[in-house]
Amino acid sequence: MTTGSGYAKVTYPVNRFTQRPVLGLTVRSTSTNNVGVPWQEQGSATAASFKVIIFTIGGAVSAGQVEWSARQMTPTSAQG
């Protein structure tokens, strides 16, 4: 997934999750070869999608590629 000057929206396959999954985000690369930090837009994660943006360590928005993973436990396994 690539993000530029704004948020990139990731939409999961239909009916993939029944509730909001736990997300893991990692910046793979940025267009300027700066170290990037992925940030998920507050409140954007749902069972259907989420939004992400990349910031440099200095706080500037950067274009680049983000790797992500989404996990959801079943209600019985989440109880421990």
Side-chain angles (χ1 to χ4, degrees):
M1 175 195 77
T2 301
T3 179
S5 61
Y7 293 96
K9 183 176 181 179
V10 175
T11 302
Y12 309 123
V14 175
N15 298 324
R16 179 66 166 169
F17 298 106
T18 56
Q19 53 190 312
R20 182 173 49 96
V22 175
L23 294 170
L25 303 170
T26 304
V27 173
R28 173 58 89 188
S29 65
T30 66
S31 60
T32 57
N33 295 321
N34 285 330
V35 175
V37 178
W39 187 74
Q40 173 200 325
E41 180 184 26
Q42 189 75 14
S44 73
T46 68
S49 66
F50 71 94
K51 292 179 182 177
V52 66
I53 194 167
I54 300 172
F55 289 99
T56 65
I57 297 299
V61 175
S62 180
Q65 294 182 343
V66 174
E67 287 185 353
W68 60 271
S69 64
R71 305 171 297 289
Q72 180 181 339
M73 299 173 73
T74 63
T76 54
S77 66
Q79 293 174 6

